[in-house]
Every structure is written in structure tokens, then in C-alpha cells.
């Protein structure tokens, strides 16, 4: 989404039908940490080389 926004594309929000899967688990601290880490790494990569998120070397 960062690359699309940078390219000037419009981004819209829309509702999603959600179904809970029995046995599916979200671990609050572990999964929150992983999401934070992933966003941090994306932003770090973006600032180092914005073209890298477009698949351009």
C-alpha cells in the first residue's frame, strides 16, 4: 500500500466479511510485536530505496 500511495493511486476502505475459524488463535503480544516489526522493516526498506517496493532493482 505504501508503494501504491506513493504512485498516486487512490486507496479505499471497504468492509470485509469475517468468519471465525475454530482453533484459530491470535496471540496478542507475539503477533502485535511481529506486526510492529514488519511495519518497521517495510518503512526502513522504503526510506533506504523507495523503488525496492515496486520490485525495481
Amino acid at each position: 500500500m505504501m508503494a501504491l500511495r506513493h504512485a498516486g493511486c487512490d486507496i479505499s476502505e471497504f468492509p470485509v466479511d469475517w468468519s471465525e475459524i475454530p482453533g484459530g488463535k491470535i496471540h496478542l503480544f507475539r503477533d502485535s510485536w511481529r506486526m510492529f516489526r514488519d511495519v518497521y522493516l517495510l518503512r526502513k526498506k522504503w526510506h533506504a530505496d523507495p523503488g525496492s517496493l515496486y520490485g525495481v532493482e
Side-chain angles (χ1 to χ4, degrees):
M1 285 183 42
M2 290 171 59
L4 291 170
R5 183 173 290 173
H6 183 73
C9 295
D10 292 331
I11 298 174
S12 311
E13 292 185 29
F14 55 90
V16 175
D17 291 329
W18 185 265
S19 301
E20 188 170 335
I21 299 172
K25 302 269 188 257
I26 294 179
H27 298 95
L28 180 63
F29 294 108
R30 183 192 67 193
D31 295 336
S32 296
W33 170 249
R34 287 179 180 174
M35 287 185 274
F36 172 79
R37 181 197 63 201
D38 292 345
V39 170
Y40 171 78
L41 292 174
L42 275 173
R43 290 180 60 87
K44 183 177 176 183
K45 185 175 183 178
W46 175 261
H47 289 296
D49 181 15
S52 66
L53 293 181
Y54 294 109
V56 178
E57 299 293 328

